Amino acid sequence: MPAPEQHLSVTVGDTAVSAVYARPGQPTATLVLAHGAGAGMEHPFMRGFTDALNDLGVATLRFNFPYREAGRKFPDRPPLAVATWRAAMAAAAAQAAAHGDKGPLWAAGKSFGGRMASMAVAEGMEAAGLVYLGYPLHPPGKPEKLRDEHLYGITAPMLFLQGTRDTFATPDILADVVSRIGPSAVLEWVEGGDHSFAVAGEKRSAEETGASLAGRVARFIASGG
């Protein structure tokens, strides 16, 4: 049976964004999930991932950034995106406290959402750990334009889940970045996966693709990173 969902409104400055909180019985942890640049929190990938995490005993809160809430296509600038992350984490912490949940609170994101989570943590947002579902290390075809400087100051555990065909992260460059971050960072590859984790020749829906990543994430959370 799917975990019951609660629809929330999260205040960010003078605006508000939608969020969905789902809590299985006696969750071991709570994970907050942000969407990528081109799709909102209701994308089948997002729902498949959070539903599967709920089945594995992890509570989830997924949310929209303000630009997506307003129907705009261009992502918010980092200051607003970071503020939204802080508000979403606070909302998840409040839900956990209201239910008496003592488990850790993790931050995760698909592409842009994960990068903004890392920036928020680098700027002081508290999180037990970070999960990147396709970290956008550089624009496609431009490996010289790395988005990595802030990562080296983060001490929380980090899981990088990345497709081997992801054009946003040249494999050897990403492996080097993760190595330089140190033992707190772990890189796991999805063989043949692109930036959306789709694998050529495999007929899986976006929902099934998202769900396929949940086991790795749940294990990383359970291990404490």
Side-chain angles (χ1 to χ4, degrees), residues 56-131:
L56 294 171
V58 178
T60 57
L61 184 145
R62 64 184 191 272
F63 66 94
N64 278 335
F65 286 109
Y67 79 95
R68 189 73 190 182
E69 192 76 15
R72 298 190 299 269
K73 293 184 178 180
F74 194 76
D76 301 311
R77 301 293 297 170
L80 179 55
V82 166
T84 307
W85 252 112
R86 288 182 178 275
M89 288 291 277
Q95 289 295 324
H99 289 92
D101 297 335
K102 304 296 185 182
L105 181 61
W106 283 65
K110 178 73 182 76
S111 191
F112 168 80
R115 185 164 75 94
M116 293 300 106
S118 68
M119 293 180 69
V121 170
E123 294 179 16
M125 184 181 80
E126 292 187 6
L130 287 153
V131 175

Side-chain angles (χ1 to χ4, degrees), residues 115 135-140 145-151 168:
R115 185 164 75 94
Y135 187 83
L137 183 61
H138 58 72
K145 295 187 176 181
L146 296 182
R147 302 157 173 158
D148 65 332
E149 289 186 1
H150 66 287
L151 295 174
F168 284 80

Side-chain angles (χ1 to χ4, degrees), residues 176-201:
D176 179 64
V177 167
V178 172
S179 176
R180 285 190 285 135
I181 291 172
S184 62
V186 173
L187 173 58
E188 292 192 13
W189 295 105
V190 175
E191 186 62 38
D194 62 13
H195 193 53
S196 297
F197 295 96
V199 176

Side-chain angles (χ1 to χ4, degrees), residues 9 18 21 34 39 103 160 183 215:
S9 179
S18 300
Y21 174 72
F160 290 78

